[in-house]
Amino acid sequence: GQQVMQIPQYQHVQEGEDFTTYCNSSTTLSNIQWYKQRPGGHPVFLIQLVKSGEVKKQKRLTFQFGEAKKNSSLHITATQTTDVGTYFCAGPRNFNKFYFGSGTKLNVKP
Amino acid sequence: DGGITQSPKYLFRKEGQNVTLSCEQNLNHDAMYWYRQDPGQGLRLIYYSQIVNDFQKGDIAEGYSVSREKKESFPLTVTSAQKNPTAFYLCASSIGDSSGANVLTFGAGSRLTVL
């Protein structure tokens, strides 16, 4: 069945360094969503990508959707301690069900 | 403010007991979901409901039951048949249509510990 794989599982960076997490699907996705979960918190929606090759930016965060719509990435430029958390990608099986990646846990050392 | 309310936030249960987790939303969303999260892992779908009086099994439904008698409410019962129930349980809702705006809004979660 459809799976969404996410790497790396953990990433430790020094504050100011960049960070990237990658998401890969075994099948073409109609769209992909990204969520952030702060330690002890719940996932919060960040963004949705729909078009092939789409790139969206939110301040220091850049999201990309691959040309084949099978992979996606989230890049954070110059990380800050407020970026700490786990980042999940999610791809729909149908419009009402989502496969979640296993998440990338980001730790930022001040 | 619109949102999703889960209760209780923390719950302790003895082995062999059933426990029900509450989830209420005032977002007027049609679709509701229950996910389970284990440490260091992603979210796994337990049950979901697209409309009142209808629900579907997710990937790990065994040992769980749900009901959807009202649009606003989607309680989850963790039964004694669930072999490893200690986990963080997240309820979510979405518009539930195919408009492309179908994103998930999560509650704060319920942390269940079996003693």
Side-chain angles (χ1 to χ4, degrees), chain A residues 1-102:
Chain A
Q2 183 182 9
Q3 291 187 3
V4 175
M5 309 300 291
Q6 196 173 348
I7 56 171
Q9 190 174 4
Y10 301 98
Q11 186 81 55
H12 301 272
V13 300
Q14 197 71 40
E15 189 172 22
E17 293 180 338
D18 292 356
F19 159 77
T20 305
T21 174
Y22 300 91
C23 193
N24 293 291
S25 170
S26 56
T27 59
T28 301
L29 299 169
S30 59
N31 67 76
I32 195 157
Q33 299 175 0
W34 286 91
Y35 293 80
K36 177 183 178 181
Q37 184 176 23
R38 294 182 185 276
H42 58 278
V44 174
F45 173 75
L46 292 177
I47 208 160
Q48 177 175 271
L49 304 171
V50 179
K51 300 177 184 176
S52 170
E54 189 170 13
V55 178
K56 286 188 175 180
K57 291 190 176 184
Q58 290 180 350
K59 297 182 180 179
R60 295 177 294 103
L61 277 61
T62 302
F63 304 84
Q64 290 188 314
F65 201 12
E67 293 290 341
K69 302 182 75 172
K70 285 187 175 183
N71 56 72
S72 181
S73 64
L74 158 60
H75 179 82
I76 303 178
T77 303
T79 55
Q80 300 176 358
T81 54
T82 53
D83 297 324
V84 165
T86 301
Y87 294 85
F88 294 98
C89 60
R93 280 183 261 192
N94 57 47
F95 70 89
N96 256 342
K97 288 174 61 176
F98 299 87
Y99 280 104
F100 275 82
S102 54

Side-chain angles (χ1 to χ4, degrees), chain B residues 18-21 34 46-48 55-57 60-68 74-82 89:
Chain B
N18 292 356
V19 63
T20 297
L21 308 180
W34 275 104
I46 306 173
Y47 268 98
Y48 69 104
F55 48 83
Q56 307 293 329
K57 291 182 178 180
I60 56 166
E62 186 176 351
Y64 300 98
S65 66
V66 293
S67 63
R68 187 86 187 275
F74 192 41
L76 172 74
T77 296
V78 185
T79 75
S80 56
Q82 169 50 234
Y89 291 89

Side-chain angles (χ1 to χ4, degrees), chain B:
Chain B
D1 286 335
I4 299 180
T5 302
Q6 287 188 243
S7 63
K9 189 170 182 179
Y10 298 96
L11 186 61
F12 297 89
R13 189 194 89 176
K14 292 182 180 178
E15 282 192 23
Q17 288 181 337
N18 292 356
V19 63
T20 297
L21 308 180
S22 170
C23 178
E24 302 278 332
Q25 55 101 357
N26 60 5
L27 299 167
N28 199 33
H29 284 172
D30 284 317
M32 296 188 74
Y33 313 77
W34 275 104
Y35 286 91
R36 170 180 171 143
Q37 186 175 32
D38 293 284
Q41 297 193 28
L43 282 65
R44 293 185 289 168
L45 183 64
I46 306 173
Y47 268 98
Y48 69 104
S49 167
Q50 298 187 46
I51 198 168
V52 175
N53 292 323
D54 183 58
F55 48 83
Q56 307 293 329
K57 291 182 178 180
D59 298 315
I60 56 166
E62 186 176 351
Y64 300 98
S65 66
V66 293
S67 63
R68 187 86 187 275
E69 297 176 1
K70 298 187 300 181
K71 186 175 184 178
E72 302 80 19
S73 179
F74 192 41
L76 172 74
T77 296
V78 185
T79 75
S80 56
Q82 169 50 234
K83 297 187 187 310
N84 186 19
T86 295
F88 188 46
Y89 291 89
L90 287 157
C91 179
S93 70
S94 70
I95 293 174
D97 65 15
S98 56
S99 67
N102 203 24
V103 301
L104 295 173
T105 300
F106 284 88
S110 292
R111 193 168 297 277
L112 173 63
T113 302
V114 174
L115 303 172

